[in-house]
Amino acid sequence: MASIFTKIINGEIPCYKVAEDNDFFAFLDINPNAKGHTLCVPKKEVDKILDLDEETYLGLMSFSRKVGKAIEEVVPCNRVGISVIGLEVPHVHVHLIPLNSMSDAFFKKKESLSAKEFKEISEAIAAKFK
Ligand code: 5GP
């Protein structure tokens, strides 16, 4: 069965899209640690990051770097943290999390955003993605 992220990539489930190329897709996390928390996923559905072929792994990191740079331009933060967990959704994804304190990285403190805020932040990051 297709993962929830494959359904998002295919447009079967809505998301706040941030960036896309031939092989990768980025969208806002629906339950963000912080405003601008973004997930970068390979379109190829693989569960664990270390099981990706090397080309896809390196491509995902390169794509995530570009998305992270766009986030840095838009979201005031000390830095963008990069994290790979994957215990909830078995489809490789890189978390890009704007960090101002260590607690932003803990997946416990969550930010409540309105639909308008999700839309605005995704469009602002998308506009800076190069
Ligand atoms: P992990 O698998 O790394 O533990 O966490 C999965 C992440 O995906 C969580 O931060 C969760 O909020 C996010 N997530 C789960 N389902 C959806 C969804 O349907 N849409 C979006 N945008 N994010 C999701």
Side-chain angles (χ1 to χ4, degrees), residues 95-111:
H95 292 263
L96 298 175
I97 308 169
L99 301 178
N100 285 301
S101 70
M102 198 60 177
S103 63
D104 293 327
F106 287 164
F107 295 89
K108 283 184 181 161
K109 184 178 147 225
K110 293 293 179 176
E111 188 88 19

Side-chain angles (χ1 to χ4, degrees), residues 4-5 8 27-31 39 85-89 93 95:
I4 195 151
F5 291 166
I8 285 174
F27 54 100
L28 294 182
D29 194 300
I30 205 65
N31 189 21
L39 303 175
I85 313 289
L87 290 172
E88 185 187 326
V89 179
H93 48 283
H95 292 263

